[in-house]
């Protein structure tokens, strides 16, 4: 009797709440939600079975993913068979089916074709590739199509990545803390590895493979030498074993002084034979454990990290020494260009170029220099980094930040697709018009074969992986753009919204609209008109434009905005730091002139009087205040839009986003008020009509302290 009662209660609870775990975000964009009846029937017609004549681990994963996806969408799991029947999803490579009715020559090792074909008179959907990994990517593409409303009858798709290395960089520490991580602790359970390999690692690999990511740097660039000890190599090897069948390679960040710290060498001078021998032996050890190890990522002589310059050697000397060690195995070295030195008084925005440009042509052929999208540090908006286009003899890879250190961390809805797109589409003019950053990093501009793009991960142990549902879109967008830089941020947002919420356009359209303007809104309420780095110190959470007392000049927000009684902005023209001259002449010319500088970059390049007239006719001061207002207003509009979606979104994800938007609105207002309170104390101008005075006086804003803000080492 008691038992019957328990069953009844459980049944009632389930009926009321649905499956409690169904929409907690864990499934990311791989939800495979039940399709509407007609659609489910259409999917079923094209997936009556999965015909896969191979048996590799990757092939098995591809077939299982198709079974899972179709099963969940239609309620019927298609069987796997070797023979091809009508309506089959047919997975084939030249080794399983030599005469395929589709060209594969331009698809490379990872690309695929998806085509509706007749095979022996039977209508089937062919997913064809040169390799099983290509098939896996194709399977995920087909599953995306199935979840959207696309007609599955006449498919003819060919897709291959132009960029070779599509990597996540984890800034994960060995103790589980994630530097600039806002989604909980690290997902790597270093302590229980290599024995315990929880299911999360597999789901991580699935998620990444589904968007084409093919490598992961496991540990923070602010590296500990310990990652290179034998026990930690075994741990990394265990992860590599999980990721391998998904086409994902493992890489490690290294600390430059590891030979000294781990084995007592007297020096880490890259030209010292004992140092080179140490790295060679260490590399041999790693490749014994991880035969397909990808290579090393290095942050050297940057923000206190040791490096070759400590021994009067160059970055190239350092990179080439490591490159020689991994070369016999086909490994690579990713050498970061994020450098600036406390003893260099020059504009921080110029220092990476000054250090690296003279080294063009001096790097070994398995070295790629990793350059952040902008010259300062992942700001809400930065002009593209001047190194792009400036080192034609050196492969350069892009480093984006997916985690939102400077764009609202885990709580703000600030979709990064438009930021990525803006940078990739920026024209360097290095070889004339059309020399976009995308062409620099895909190697086509200067004929490089080694190509790459990295994103600093926003992944943590939070159930939803990224700290919020909408932050998942940034991971997704990074992967999709890495695979195909020509995709638009809007197309990707649409795709993501369909997969994440519903293919119903009543949901997709408003969600995409919210997303598309959200980054610009953050620019407006944080750093309008080309301002940068005015975040509070250390944790970078919230506003701190007044901060001026830190030891190094370039740590202080006042260094970046240079507001004074006359005006505001950093003069980077010839009368100032002359950073503009690091760009190709047409670009330099545009930014050197205040009149031809797009207003979005105005204060990045110019110190402008408060009464300067903007294109709208308003003064700079009024325009600045209006932009802060517009940013806050946009967030309020997102709240309204989201509220209107309540009937269409599951309760759990609706409530989370609703709450986070409330936080965002409060913080946008705080950003606006604090910034205006401070800048008004300098500009001494009245607020334009209609703009409200800040809620508190400046001292109140200055007094806010957040010693436990997350993500700060
Ligand atoms: O963005 C800044 C961060 C540091 C980071 C550094 C870097 C890993 O504030 O936390 O360190 O850049 O990219 O090396």
């Amino acid at each position: 009797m008691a038992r019957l009662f328990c069953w009844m209660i459980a049944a009632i609870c389930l009926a009321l709440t649905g499956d409690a775990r169904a929409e907690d975000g864990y499934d990311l964009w791989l939800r495979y939600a039940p399709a509407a009846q007609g659609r489910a029937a259409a999917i079923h017609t094209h997936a009556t079975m999965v015909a896969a004549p191979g048996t590799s681990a990757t092939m098995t994963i591809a077939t299982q993913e198709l079974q899972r996806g179709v099963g969940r969408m239609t309620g019927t799991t298609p069987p796997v068979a070797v023979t091809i029947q009508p309506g089959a999803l047919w997975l084939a490579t030249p080794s399983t089916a030599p005469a395929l009715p589709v060209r594969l020559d331009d698809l490379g090792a990872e690309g695929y074709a998806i085509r509706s074909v007749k095979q022996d008179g039977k209508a089937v959907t062919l997913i064809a590739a040169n390799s099983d990994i290509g098939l896996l990517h194709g399977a995920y593409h087909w599953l995306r199509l199935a979840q959207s409303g696309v007609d599955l009858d006449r498919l003819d798709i060919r897709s291959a990545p132009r960029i070779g290395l599509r990597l996540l960089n984890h800034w994960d520490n060995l103790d589980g803390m994630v530097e600039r991580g806002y989604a909980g602790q690290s997902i790597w359970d270093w302590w229980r590895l290599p024995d315990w390999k929880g299911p999360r690692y597999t789901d991580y690999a699935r998620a990444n493979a589904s968007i084409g990511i093919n490598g992961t740097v496991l540990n923070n660039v602010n590296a500990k030498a310990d990652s290179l000890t034998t026990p930690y190599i075994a741990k990394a090897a265990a992860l590599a074993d999980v990721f391998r069948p998904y086409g994902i390679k493992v890489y490690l960040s290294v600390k430059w002084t590891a030979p000294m710290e781990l084995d007592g060498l007297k020096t880490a001078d890259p030209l010292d034979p004992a140092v080179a021998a140490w790295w060679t032996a260490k590399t041999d050890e790693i490749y014994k454990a991880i035969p397909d190890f990808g290579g090393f990522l290095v942050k050297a002589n940057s923000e206190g990290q040791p490096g070759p310059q400590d021994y009067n050697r160059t970055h190239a000397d350092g990179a080439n020494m490591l490159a020689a060690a991994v070369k016999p195995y086909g490994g690579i070295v990713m050498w970061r260009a994020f450098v600036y030195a406390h003893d260099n008084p020059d504009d921080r925005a110029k220092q990476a170029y000054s250090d690296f440009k003279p080294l063009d042509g001096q790097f070994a052929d398995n070295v790629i220099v990793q350059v952040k999208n902008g010259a300062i540090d992942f700001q809400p908006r930065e002009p593209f980094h001047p190194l792009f286009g400036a080192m034609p003899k050196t492969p350069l890879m892009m480093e984006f930040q997916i985690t939102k250190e400077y764009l609202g961390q885990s709580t703000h809805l600030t979709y990064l697709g438009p930021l990525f797109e803006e940078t990739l589409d920026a024209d360097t003019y290095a070889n004339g018009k059309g020399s976009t950053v995308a062409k620099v990093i895909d190697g086509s501009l200067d004929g490089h074969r080694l190509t790459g793009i990295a994103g600093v991960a926003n992944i943590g142990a939070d159930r939803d992986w990224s700290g919020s549902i909408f932050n998942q879109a940034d991971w997704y967008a990074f992967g999709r753009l890495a695979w195909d830089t020509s995709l638009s941020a809007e197309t990707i947002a649409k795709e993501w919204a369909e997969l994440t919420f519903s293919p119903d356009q009543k949901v997709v359209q408003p969600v995409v609209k919210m997303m598309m303007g959200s980054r610009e809104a953050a620019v407006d309420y944080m750093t309008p008109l080309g301002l940068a780095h005015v975040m509070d110190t250390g944790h970078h959470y919230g506003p701190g434009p007044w901060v001026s007392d830190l030891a190094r000049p370039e740590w202080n927000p006042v260094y970046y905005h240079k507001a004074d009684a006359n005006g505001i902005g950093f003069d980077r023209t010839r009368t100032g730091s002359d950073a503009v001259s690091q760009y190709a002449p047409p670009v330099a010319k545009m930014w050197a002139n205040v009149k031809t500088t797009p207003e979005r970059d105005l204060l990045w390049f110019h110190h402008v009087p408060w009464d300067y007239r903007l294109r709208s006719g308003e003064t700079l001061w009024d325009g600045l205040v209006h932009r802060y207002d517009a940013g806050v207003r946009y967030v309020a509009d997102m709240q309204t839009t989201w509220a209107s979606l309540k009937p269409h979104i599951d309760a759990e994800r609706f409530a989370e986003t609703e709450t986070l938007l409330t936080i965002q609105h409060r913080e946008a207002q705080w950003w606006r008020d604090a910034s205006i309170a401070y800048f008004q104390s300098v500009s001494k101008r009245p607020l334009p009509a209609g703009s409200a005075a800040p809620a508190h006086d400046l001292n109140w804003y200055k007094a806010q302290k957040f010693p436990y803000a997350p993500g700060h080492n």
Side-chain angles (χ1 to χ4, degrees):
M1 184 65 197
R3 194 191 261 172
L4 181 67
F5 182 70
C6 286
W7 275 112
M8 278 166 60
I9 295 287
I12 291 168
C13 287
L14 203 66
L16 290 177
T17 59
D19 177 354
R21 285 179 56 183
E23 297 292 8
D24 58 9
Y26 185 83
D27 287 340
L28 296 158
W29 46 85
L30 301 173
R31 289 163 57 249
Y32 308 129
Q37 229 177 22
R39 183 67 181 167
I43 296 170
H44 183 69
T45 318
H46 293 92
T48 52
M49 64 183 298
V50 183
T55 52
S56 73
T58 303
M59 181 73 107
T60 304
I61 288 167
T63 55
Q64 284 175 351
E65 194 72 33
L66 288 167
Q67 287 183 295
R68 172 182 353 211
V70 173
R72 286 209 213 159
M73 285 186 281
T74 67
T76 312
T77 303
V80 177
V82 188
T83 55
I84 300 164
Q85 298 303 328
L89 278 172
W90 175 32
L91 305 186
T93 64
S95 64
T96 62
L100 283 169
V102 64
R103 274 180 45 225
L104 299 176
D105 51 314
D106 57 346
L107 296 177
E110 295 180 293
Y112 53 84
I114 304 177
R115 204 160 174 211
S116 310
V117 295
K118 279 256 167 76
Q119 183 72 2
D120 302 331
K122 299 164 189 156
V124 300
T125 306
L126 170 64
I127 303 179
N130 289 310
S131 70
D132 290 2
I133 292 297
L135 290 184
L136 181 62
H137 292 144
Y140 280 117
H141 191 139
W142 186 85
L143 285 165
R144 265 200 305 271
L145 298 175
Q147 289 172 91
S148 71
V150 170
D151 181 358
L152 300 171
D153 291 337
R154 275 174 294 275
L155 297 176
D156 190 4
I157 293 164
R158 314 176 60 74
S159 186
R162 273 201 287 264
I163 298 178
L165 309 169
R166 304 176 303 278
L167 268 50
L168 290 182
N169 286 184
H170 286 266
W171 287 356
D172 294 23
N173 295 334
L174 300 183
D175 65 1
M177 190 267 180
V178 181
E179 183 161 351
R180 309 308 176 183
Y182 311 101
Q185 292 282 103
S186 172
I187 53 168
W188 316 133
D189 187 351
W190 291 114
W191 191 248
R192 293 193 288 175
L193 281 165
D195 304 283
W196 170 242
K197 293 183 271 190
R200 195 140 191 170
Y201 300 143
T202 305
D203 287 331
Y204 168 89
R206 284 178 60 227
N208 281 313
S210 77
I211 49 176
I213 286 169
N214 66 0
T216 180
V217 185
L218 299 174
N219 60 323
N220 193 350
V221 288
N222 289 328
K224 289 268 191 261
D226 308 64
S227 294
L228 296 177
T229 58
T230 304
Y232 276 91
I233 291 172
K235 293 167 195 279
L239 290 174
D241 290 342
V242 177
F243 302 160
R244 188 168 297 112
Y246 292 86
I248 297 169
K249 282 188 184 179
V250 152
Y251 300 74
L252 290 172
S253 299
V254 296
K255 183 160 187 193
W256 190 253
T257 44
M260 300 165 76
E261 289 183 39
L262 297 182
D263 284 309
L265 268 66
K266 293 276 164 307
T267 174
D269 179 348
L271 300 192
D272 185 307
V275 172
W278 187 91
W279 283 106
T280 303
K282 186 49 78 180
T283 302
D284 293 345
E285 183 188 348
I286 294 173
Y287 276 94
K288 259 198 203 92
I290 313 174
D292 57 350
F293 178 66
F296 297 125
L297 172 63
V298 191
K299 171 175 179 175
N301 294 116
S302 163
E303 298 189 321
Q305 291 297 324
Q309 290 180 333
D310 302 341
Y311 308 92
N312 291 322
R313 311 297 185 195
T314 68
H315 287 288
D317 293 330
N320 295 346
M321 184 273 289
L322 284 185
V326 294
K327 176 94 180 171
Y329 302 99
I332 56 139
V333 171
M334 296 167 286
W335 195 271
R336 294 176 91 225
F338 178 68
V339 298
Y340 62 98
H342 63 279
D343 49 2
N344 185 347
D346 203 4
D347 179 0
R348 173 174 164 188
K350 292 173 66 185
Q351 295 186 28
Y353 178 102
S354 307
D355 260 17
F356 278 81
K357 164 92 180 151
L359 301 176
D360 190 24
Q362 294 184 29
F363 289 95
D365 63 4
N366 57 334
V367 174
I368 185 163
V369 173
Q370 182 165 313
V371 182
K372 287 188 181 181
N373 57 291
I376 298 291
D377 194 16
F378 303 133
Q379 293 304 294
R381 167 166 284 124
E382 292 194 37
F384 72 87
H385 200 297
L387 278 174
F388 292 116
M391 295 182 68
K393 295 187 204 128
T394 309
L396 300 185
M397 68 188 279
M398 171 67 74
E399 179 175 319
F400 282 128
Q401 196 179 43
I402 308 171
T403 188
K404 294 190 296 199
E405 176 178 358
Y406 298 100
L407 280 113
Q409 305 192 347
S410 78
T411 51
H412 294 205
L413 194 171
T414 43
Y415 170 51
L416 298 181
L419 187 161
F420 300 157
E421 181 181 34
E422 180 176 303
T423 311
L424 292 168
D425 289 351
D427 198 340
T428 70
Y429 280 84
N431 293 351
K433 194 170 162 47
S435 307
T436 59
V437 171
K439 286 188 187 162
V440 174
I441 62 167
D442 73 15
S444 61
L445 194 68
D446 301 303
H448 293 299
R449 299 253 298 277
L450 179 58
T451 55
I453 180 166
V456 179
N458 65 352
I459 297 165
D462 277 7
R463 181 77 192 152
D464 66 11
W465 302 84
S466 301
S468 84
I469 297 298
F470 276 89
N471 287 344
Q472 297 175 354
D474 300 322
W475 176 8
Y476 185 84
F478 169 77
R480 297 288 289 125
L481 275 169
W483 181 274
D484 182 357
T485 52
S486 72
L487 289 173
S488 79
E490 185 161 3
T491 304
I492 296 170
K494 189 166 165 287
E495 216 176 81
W496 176 82
E498 286 174 349
L499 301 172
T500 302
F501 295 115
S502 150
D504 182 351
Q505 291 306 306
K506 281 202 296 296
V507 176
V508 173
Q509 280 172 14
V511 165
V512 170
K513 190 154 175 271
M514 285 167 68
M515 291 168 76
M516 285 308 293
S518 60
R519 177 272 190 142
E520 200 63 44
V523 169
D524 280 344
Y525 62 73
M526 292 179 181
T527 54
L529 291 168
L531 288 177
H533 221 302
V534 290
M535 293 76 191
D536 202 359
T537 306
H539 49 64
H540 297 151
Y541 165 76
W546 46 80
V547 175
S548 63
D549 58 352
L550 302 173
R552 287 164 57 164
E554 76 283 355
W555 282 352
N556 291 293
V558 296
Y559 168 92
Y560 296 95
H561 63 67
K562 302 207 182 319
D564 56 25
N566 300 322
I568 180 170
F570 198 127
D571 182 2
R572 292 193 161 98
T573 70
R574 212 169 317 153
T575 52
S577 79
D578 199 25
V580 292
S581 70
Q582 293 183 336
Y583 290 92
V587 183
K589 193 169 162 223
M590 168 186 68
W591 279 329
N593 180 344
V594 70
K595 290 286 168 215
T596 54
T597 301
E599 279 178 354
R600 66 181 201 193
D601 301 321
L602 188 63
L603 306 179
W604 184 280
F605 289 111
H606 303 277
H607 189 76
V608 181
W610 294 111
D611 295 324
Y612 174 83
R613 290 281 157 192
L614 294 173
R615 267 152 228 163
S616 62
E618 62 195 339
T619 64
L620 174 73
W621 168 248
D622 287 359
L624 196 64
V625 175
H626 284 148
R627 276 171 178 78
Y628 286 120
D629 284 335
V632 180
R633 220 166 29 237
Y634 191 90
V635 181
D637 289 347
M638 287 202 289
Q639 290 182 286
T640 309
T641 307
W642 187 251
S644 76
L645 288 169
K646 187 164 188 177
H648 308 291
I649 310 273
D650 50 282
E652 191 168 346
R653 294 187 301 169
F654 180 83
E656 184 208 74
T657 303
E658 184 184 43
T659 303
L660 295 184
L661 285 169
T662 309
I663 298 174
Q664 184 176 4
H665 187 259
R666 185 172 71 223
E667 295 187 350
Q669 187 71 47
W670 165 43
W671 261 99
R672 177 242 180 232
D673 285 356
S675 306
I676 290 178
Y678 171 69
F679 288 127
Q680 193 174 27
S681 76
V682 185
S683 79
K684 314 265 192 247
R685 301 283 191 288
L687 291 179
S691 286
H696 304 277
D697 68 13
L698 179 57
N699 286 329
W700 187 89
Y701 296 107
K702 286 186 178 177
Q704 304 307 305
K705 294 284 175 272
F706 305 93
Y708 307 114
H712 186 214
N713 241 348

